[in-house]
């Protein structure tokens, strides 16, 4: 939606001559340059939004928002110097009727005030009744995955389910497409497919920016802020990290920051508090990532505010990586046989199986105070990965999901190149929501399976390709995915391969971009090669081949693939193996071809077009 706005483009040359420090400013704004890198913008108009122009390639300017002379807000933005890549809104409604002045320190040294006054930012910022929310990223912005309306996104945060709504908060930079100004963006959904964008829920304050955390519904009012209040814990990231609390009395739309923050401090870097009510011990549990120490800390509390450290887990165990982040701890059913085990999710960066960030997990027991991981026969604790793609991180679960579901969602990117991917007005999507359970693999070990949430079945629209009982050979069997799908589809393929055979599935377009997936029945692996998938040269870490165990012994794999413009998620054998990988094809993949080295059969193939509301 592009709403016309009033703008005084021709900045009153006469005014300029009378007031040398005033630049070409839009209606309702007065710009005064105070020096080579300091500019004041006074807001004299009444519109709710100040639209700010961003140029991706330059450094951040620091903006202090002075309201009636006091600093009400500080943020960082790549204010356009030579050209505007996109614009972002600054919400002025909280300051209605007050004196608002933006005190801006630009980073670039300028030779003179005259040069500083030539930055396009001064003439390209303007007041507006609304801001442009049109999707200018049609080529790569996913359609059935959650993405922020604009700006940078990383970890999912504070997710809870209440009154039929799935609340998803996320690490958000509202003023640009790179990591900065960490706030909690907010979206809600009734079906986990269609998302409504809600106002920003938590913004940086005097204690720092708002890093990752979790939220619960305090049914019994243990925190003393009322029954059924939504209580969020997050990391305040100032000079150092500490844990803070915020409370919502309107189902998560707005949060009041607790006056007694921080509620938990440590002497070393710790973040991403994840809490839950423990029905057995009748107290709150909290897991905190002791990031640089490669361990998770376990706390208890009666009231969500006072936390007692009980134990630590992780030092020297499994994948250690660079930092440990974003924990989650919950119970999952085992093999559907009525028993349950505890699962500790541990996101780490770098140190993932294919470089960069990834999620490992531990299966074991938790008594409310201590987590004890299962071991192998030799007493060691194995490394287990949740996803065997490169683009799956910070996965955590919804609190209070219905029917005892353990529904999780991840950030579909990798810290290695998230800020480099070829989109600009927005950056990053979430994975599809997934449901988890534990299964026993052929090696006798327990692993976690993740299947697409059942709601994803509603995505299926028309069956655009259908085939069965096809013998596969060296010559490829090819299927055209109709152009009307724009390449957005779900592919279901059941393969049977004789011992020692390999089956190759290739998604491609006419330009020669291709993604090659190979099921190797001898090694019981699946590989995913995106080295020629389209635009891959924005980072040397992007072209990659990822490989997953298939956890079968009979040469049969059932695949469900979701293709959504710039992402492919491959779920194998009911989520026993999952591979999430980004791709940036130059045009949609409209061909699927299968071939075999050895004896193999495509017992069933269905390609569905997808529908959202
Ligand atoms: C993980 C992470 C968290 C932190 C957040 C900051 O991706 O580094 O540990 O809270 O991102 O945005």
């Amino acid at each position: 939606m592009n709403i016309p706005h009033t703008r005084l483009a021709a900045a009153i040359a006469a005014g300029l001559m009378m007031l040398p420090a005033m630049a070409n400013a839009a209606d309702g704004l007065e710009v005064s340059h105070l020096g080579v890198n300091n500019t004041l913008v006074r807001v004299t108009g009444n519109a709710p939004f100040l639209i700010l122009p961003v140029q991706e390639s330059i450094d951040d300017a620091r903006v202090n928002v002075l309201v009636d002379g006091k600093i009400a807000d500080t943020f960082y933005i790549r204010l356009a110097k030579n050209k505007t890549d996109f614009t972002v809104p600054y919400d002025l409604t909280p300051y209605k009727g007050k004196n608002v002045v933006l005190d801006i320190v630009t980073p670039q040294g300028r030779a003179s005030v005259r040069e500083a006054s030539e930055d396009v930012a001064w003439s390209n910022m303007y007041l507006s009744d609304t801001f442009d929310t049109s999707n200018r990223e049609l080529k790569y912005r996913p359609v059935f995955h959650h993405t922020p309306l604009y700006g940078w996104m990383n970890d999912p945060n504070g997710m809870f389910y209440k009154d039929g709504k799935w609340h998803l908060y996320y690490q958000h930079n509202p003023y640009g497409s790179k990591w900065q100004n960490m706030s909690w963006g907010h979206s809600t959904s009734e079906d986990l497919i269609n998302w409504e964008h809600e106002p920003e829920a938590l913004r940086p304050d005097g204690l720092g920016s708002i890093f990752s955390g979790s939220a619960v519904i305090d049914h019994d009012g243990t925190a003393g802020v009322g029954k059924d209040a939504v209580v969020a814990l997050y990391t305040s990231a100032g000079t150092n990290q500490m844990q803070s609390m915020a409370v919502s009395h309107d189902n998560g739309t707005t949060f009041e920051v607790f006056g007694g923050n921080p509620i938990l401090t440590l002497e070393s870097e710790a973040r991403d508090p994840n809490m839950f009510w423990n029905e057995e011990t009748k107290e709150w549990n909290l897991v905190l990532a002791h990031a640089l120490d490669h361990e998770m800390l376990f706390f208890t509390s009666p009231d969500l505010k006072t936390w007692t450290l009980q134990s630590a887990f992780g030092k020297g165990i499994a994948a250690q990586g660079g930092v440990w982040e974003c924990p989650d701890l919950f119970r999952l059913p085992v093999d559907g046989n009525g028993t349950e085990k505890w699962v500790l999710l541990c996101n780490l960066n770098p140190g993932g199986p294919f470089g960069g960030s990834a999620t490992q997990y531990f299966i074991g027991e938790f008594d409310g105070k201590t987590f004890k991981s299962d071991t192998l026969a030799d007493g060691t604790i194995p490394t287990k990965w949740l996803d065997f793609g490169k683009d799956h991180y910070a996965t955590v679960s919804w609190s209070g999901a219905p029917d005892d579901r353990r529904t999780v969602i991840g950030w579909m990117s990798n810290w290695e190149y998230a800020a480099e991917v070829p989109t600009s007005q927005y950056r990053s999507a979430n994975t599809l929501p997934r449901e988890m359970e534990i299964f026993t693999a052929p090696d006798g070990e327990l692993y976690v399976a993740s299947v697409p949430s059942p709601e994803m079945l509603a995505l299926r629209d028309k069956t655009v390709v259908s085939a069965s009982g096809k013998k596969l050979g060296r010559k490829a069997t090819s299927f055209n995915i109709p152009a009307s799908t724009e390449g957005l589809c779900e592919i279901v393929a059941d393969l049977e391969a004789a011992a020692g055979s390999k089956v190759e599935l290739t998604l491609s377009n006419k330009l020669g971009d291709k993604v090659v997936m190979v099921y190797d029945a001898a090694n019981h692996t699946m590989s995913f090669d995106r080295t020629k998938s389209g635009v891959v040269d924005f980072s040397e870490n992007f072209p990659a081949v990822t490989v997953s165990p298939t956890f079968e012994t009979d040469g049969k794999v059932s695949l469900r693939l979701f293709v959504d413009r710039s992402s492919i998620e491959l779920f194998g054998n009911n989520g026993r193996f999952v591979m999430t990988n980004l791709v940036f094809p130059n045009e949609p993949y409209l061909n699927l071809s299968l071939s075999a080295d050895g004896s193999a059969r495509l017992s069933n193939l269905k390609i569905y077009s997808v529908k959202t509301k």
Side-chain angles (χ1 to χ4, degrees):
M1 189 174 36
N2 222 338
I3 306 287
H5 53 271
T6 44
R7 191 165 164 198
L8 272 193
I12 328 144
L16 266 175
M17 278 187 293
M18 283 184 303
L19 288 168
M22 296 268 287
N24 290 0
D27 237 359
L29 297 178
E30 282 176 18
V31 177
S32 327
H33 301 292
L34 306 180
V36 287
N37 67 347
N38 189 194
T39 297
L40 293 185
V41 176
R42 179 181 293 278
V43 180
T44 55
N46 283 321
F49 296 112
L50 172 61
I51 306 298
L52 298 168
V54 177
Q55 180 175 351
E56 281 257 19
S57 58
I58 62 172
D59 292 333
D60 281 307
R62 192 202 65 205
V63 182
N64 277 337
V65 181
L66 305 173
V67 177
D68 288 346
K70 294 203 179 87
I71 297 180
D73 193 14
T74 299
F75 64 96
Y76 297 84
I77 181 167
R78 293 161 193 262
L79 268 186
K81 183 172 185 291
N82 331 96
K83 66 173 176 94
T84 298
D85 292 327
F86 55 89
T87 56
V88 294
Y90 185 76
D91 184 4
L92 294 167
T93 45
Y95 318 130
K96 205 171 161 39
K98 302 199 169 142
N99 290 294
V100 179
V101 173
L102 273 61
D103 181 2
I104 302 170
V105 176
T106 51
Q108 298 84 5
R110 307 282 199 275
S112 62
V113 177
R114 170 164 290 282
E115 194 191 323
S117 72
E118 279 162 10
D119 283 12
V120 298
W122 317 125
S123 52
N124 282 9
M125 63 173 67
Y126 57 92
L127 291 172
S128 172
D129 288 335
T130 183
F131 65 96
D132 177 9
T133 58
S134 55
N135 177 11
R136 286 182 300 277
E137 303 270 3
L138 285 172
K139 196 166 172 187
Y140 292 137
R141 188 192 275 269
V143 169
F144 55 90
H145 288 76
H146 174 259
T147 53
L149 197 53
Y150 67 97
W152 161 277
M153 174 175 83
N154 56 290
D155 316 352
N157 294 148
M159 297 113 74
F160 70 92
Y161 176 89
K162 190 163 187 273
D163 304 335
K165 267 199 184 157
W166 301 84
H167 291 259
L168 168 63
Y169 301 85
Y170 53 89
Q171 288 287 280
H172 189 212
N173 179 5
Y175 309 122
S177 297
K178 301 210 169 169
W179 186 90
Q180 187 55 279
N181 305 308
M182 280 301 110
S183 308
W184 277 24
H186 183 202
S187 299
T188 54
S189 174
E190 287 173 7
D191 59 9
L192 289 172
I193 294 174
N194 297 282
W195 293 94
E196 293 281 326
H197 296 282
E198 308 281 350
E200 210 73 8
L202 283 166
R203 299 165 46 82
D205 62 19
L207 290 181
S209 50
I210 315 290
F211 274 16
S212 291
S214 57
V216 291
I217 297 158
D218 186 11
H219 292 295
D220 297 331
T222 61
V225 290
K227 287 193 173 185
D228 290 327
V230 179
V231 177
L233 294 194
Y234 57 88
T235 301
S236 288
T239 310
N240 284 299
Q241 299 178 355
M242 59 212 126
Q243 317 314 317
S244 292
M245 175 171 149
V247 176
S248 172
H249 294 291
D250 58 4
N251 286 333
T253 305
T254 58
F255 280 87
E256 231 170 83
V257 168
F258 176 54
N261 282 339
I263 53 155
L264 180 55
T265 59
L266 291 176
E267 286 171 1
S268 49
E269 207 163 298
R271 57 178 174 269
D272 311 337
N274 194 293
M275 56 174 162
F276 62 94
W277 175 252
N278 191 323
E279 198 45 49
E280 275 151 34
T281 56
K282 301 275 185 249
E283 51 183 3
W284 294 101
N285 278 124
L286 170 70
V287 193
L288 196 59
H290 208 192
L292 303 171
D293 295 69
H294 307 127
E295 61 182 6
M296 296 303 182
L297 305 177
F298 298 84
F299 295 80
T300 53
S301 171
D303 61 4
L304 291 166
K305 287 183 210 147
T306 45
W307 292 96
T308 308
L309 178 64
Q310 299 291 354
S311 64
F313 170 85
K315 272 224 165 97
I317 292 170
Q320 292 283 290
V323 285
W324 281 27
E325 308 180 309
C326 303
D328 200 354
L329 177 66
F330 44 76
R331 300 165 87 129
L332 284 184
V334 181
D335 290 328
N337 67 11
T339 62
E340 288 188 331
K341 294 279 257 181
W342 286 86
V343 174
L344 174 65
L345 295 186
C346 165
N347 290 281
L348 92 183
N349 175 46
F354 313 107
S357 41
T359 312
Q360 68 173 333
Y361 64 88
F362 302 93
I363 299 178
E365 301 302 333
F366 179 65
D367 63 5
K369 291 192 161 68
T370 307
F371 178 80
K372 203 165 167 284
S373 174
D374 290 355
T375 59
L376 296 174
D378 64 4
T380 56
I381 296 174
T383 304
K384 293 177 179 173
W385 300 107
L386 202 53
D387 192 291
F388 289 85
K390 270 200 86 149
D391 299 297
H392 171 274
Y393 194 56
T395 303
V396 285
S397 66
W398 261 275
S399 163
D403 310 319
D404 280 335
R405 287 168 60 174
R406 188 50 64 176
T407 309
V408 299
I409 200 164
W411 174 47
M412 194 154 56
S413 197
N414 190 312
W415 279 113
E416 276 186 338
Y417 44 71
E420 261 62 65
V421 298
T423 67
S424 67
Q425 180 234 5
Y426 87 100
R427 274 228 175 85
S428 296
N430 287 106
T431 65
L432 284 183
R434 300 159 184 200
E435 311 287 317
M436 299 188 142
E437 61 182 23
I438 295 173
F439 68 97
T440 307
D443 63 2
E445 281 294 303
L446 298 180
Y447 294 90
V448 172
S450 330
V451 291
S453 293
E455 284 83 351
M456 299 309 116
L457 285 173
L459 278 171
R460 288 183 185 171
D461 190 14
K462 300 196 178 70
T463 308
V464 292
V465 173
S466 177
S468 59
K470 282 208 183 291
K471 196 170 162 350
L472 298 173
R474 276 184 196 280
K475 190 169 166 307
T477 306
S478 231
F479 301 91
N480 285 325
I481 304 170
S484 58
T485 62
E486 294 178 43
L488 300 167
C489 61
E490 179 191 346
I491 301 172
V492 174
D494 299 329
L495 306 170
E496 288 171 29
S501 303
K502 283 185 186 165
V503 181
E504 190 172 295
L505 298 93
T506 303
L507 274 167
S508 61
N509 61 27
K510 290 210 180 72
L511 300 174
D513 301 338
K514 57 181 181 176
V515 171
V516 183
M517 293 159 278
V518 178
Y519 167 50
D520 178 340
N523 291 311
H524 307 286
T525 57
M526 185 92 206
S527 62
F528 187 113
D529 179 346
R530 68 172 179 197
T531 54
K532 300 191 174 59
S533 56
V535 181
V536 297
D537 60 359
F538 52 88
S539 158
E540 60 176 23
N541 294 314
F542 187 78
V545 181
T546 72
V547 185
S548 174
T550 47
F551 297 111
E552 48 64 48
T553 48
D554 59 2
K556 288 188 183 163
V557 289
S558 299
L559 305 177
R560 274 180 85 184
L561 279 124
F562 291 84
V563 186
D564 192 1
R565 296 221 197 284
S566 55
S567 69
I568 300 182
E569 283 154 289
L570 182 158
F571 297 87
N573 289 351
N574 271 326
R576 287 182 165 214
F577 61 99
V578 187
M579 307 174 89
T580 304
N581 281 310
L582 294 178
V583 287
F584 297 95
N586 290 294
E587 62 178 43
Y589 306 122
L590 293 180
N591 188 273
L592 172 70
S593 65
L594 292 100
S595 62
D597 181 357
S599 160
R601 227 169 72 94
L602 172 64
S603 44
N604 172 46
L605 173 72
K606 291 251 173 344
I607 303 182
Y608 302 97
S609 58
V610 297
K611 62 168 189 297
T612 56
K613 262 185 207 152

